[in-house]
Amino acid sequence: MSVDTTAIKVTKTNHSHWNEVDWDNLPFGKIFSDHMLVMDYADGEWKQPEIVPFEAISVHPATSALHYGQSIFEGLKANRTPEGEVLVFRPDMNAKRFQESCERMCMPIIPEDLFVELVRKVVEVDKKWVPSKEAESLYIRPFLFATDEFVGIRPSETYKFIIFTCPVGAYYSEPVNVKIEEFYTRASIGGVGRAKTAGNYGASLFPARQGQMKGFHQLVWTDGKEHKYIEESGTMNIVFVINGTLITPSEEADTILRGVTKRSVLEIAEKWGVPIEERKVSVEEIITAIKNGTLEDAFGAGTAATIAPIAKIGYREETFILPPIETRTISNKIRNYLDDIKCGKTEDVFGWCLKV
Ligand SMILES: *Cc1c(COP(=O)(O)O)cnc(C)c1O
C-alpha cells in the first residue's frame, strides 16, 4: 500500500493539556503539543501515516539507531498572523534537506510533496498550539530513525518517521558570546557535516562544554584540516558584515549545514542590493577586521533563534567586543523583515510561507 495523504487517520487525545501551559512564559523545546504524526517504513515502502496523541514510544533495546546512529532530523517553524492564520516557513527547503540527509545516511527518501503535506497536516491538527505573541512560534520537529532490531552494522531495513511540535519562546534571551575553536572539529571533508544527523550534535557537546566553562555560549567551528577558516557558529550558520558587505563561509565543502535561515537572509540582502560574498572566511581576516574597526556585525542564523547577534568573540587568549547591537543596521533590518514575512505582517514577495 502506498501513502494516501487524503486519508490520514487522526486519533484525537481525550485530554488536551493546552490549558495547563503557561502561555506567558514559553520555554524552548520543553512543551509538546497534543498530537504527533507517525509513519513507518518497511518492506521497501512507506506505510500509511497516522496522527495520534503525543505519547512515549517503546523501542527494542537493539534498535539500530541507538547503536549505530542512523538518525536524522529537521527543524522548522509555524507562526500566527495578526489575522489568526497559520503560516509555515519554507517547509519545501526542509523537505529537500531532509532528502539530502537521508541519502547521506543510507535512509529511505520521503518525497518532497509528501514531507510538506505531512508537516501541514500535523500543524493543522494542533493549530490552536501555534502561539500568537511576538518572538513565539510553533517549532516543528520531523525526524527519522532506524528501527531494525539487529546488532550489526548495515543500513536498517525498517524506519520510523515522526513529526511532533512544540510551542516555543525565544531561544536566546541575550546576544551570544562565542569562542573560535582551533582544536576540536564539527565536520571534516568527506564526513557528515552537511547532514542533519544526530551524531554531529552528540560529538559537539564536549567541546561546547569546554567553551561554556570559559564563559562562552557556543563555539565558532573552523575547518577540520587547518583550523584557519570559519565554518559555523554552534548549530547555526554564521554571517559577518565587513564594510557593508555580508560575508559568509561558502557551502561548497560538505562540512557546512545548508541553513534555510541563512539562505533567506542572503536572498533578502540580494534583493535589497546589499553586497554578498559567499567564500572562504579566514579567522585571520575576521580578527583583522575587528582590530581595524571594519567588522560591523557578526551573527548566527538558524531556525531556533532566527538571527542571534554575537556580542563577543574569544580568540586564543583575547576576547573582542563587537559593535553594539543597535548599530547593526543591516541585520536588524533583515531580522525585522524576515519576522514580518513569517508572521504575515508584510507581503510574502518570495512566496516562502505555506498557509495551513
Ligand atoms: C539546523 C542547523 C543550522 C541552521 O539551519 P536552519 O535551516 O536555518 O535552521 C545550521 N547549522 C547546523 C549545524 C544546523 O544543524
Side-chain angles (χ1 to χ4, degrees), residues 146-217:
T147 52
D148 275 8
E149 298 162 2
F150 173 67
V151 178
I153 302 181
R154 55 144 174 80
S156 180
E157 286 167 0
T158 61
Y159 295 87
K160 197 178 273 296
F161 177 67
I162 298 181
I163 309 175
F164 63 70
T165 66
C166 301
V168 297
Y171 192 74
Y172 290 113
S173 46
E174 50 180 27
V176 294
N177 301 330
V178 300
K179 173 182 169 285
I180 295 176
E181 176 58 47
E182 291 190 289
F183 177 74
Y184 295 103
T185 301
R186 188 193 85 87
S188 57
I189 295 169
V192 290
R194 212 177 121 179
K196 228 169 161 74
T197 185
N200 282 337
Y201 306 86
S204 73
L205 298 176
F206 181 81
R209 192 173 61 186
Q210 306 296 103
Q212 280 152 12
M213 290 187 316
K214 293 187 176 135
F216 297 97
H217 296 97

Side-chain angles (χ1 to χ4, degrees), residues 105-129:
M105 299 304 290
C106 272
M107 301 166 91
I109 280 179
I110 299 181
E112 180 181 328
D113 290 354
L114 175 58
F115 183 98
V116 171
E117 176 56 18
L118 297 179
V119 165
R120 199 196 61 76
K121 191 85 194 167
V122 82
V123 173
E124 186 175 52
V125 168
D126 276 331
K127 214 166 168 179
K128 70 172 178 189
W129 284 84

Side-chain angles (χ1 to χ4, degrees), residues 17-30:
H17 57 284
W18 190 89
N19 284 327
E20 295 151 30
V21 174
D22 179 1
W23 290 95
D24 291 325
N25 295 293
L26 283 179
F28 196 97
K30 292 184 186 167

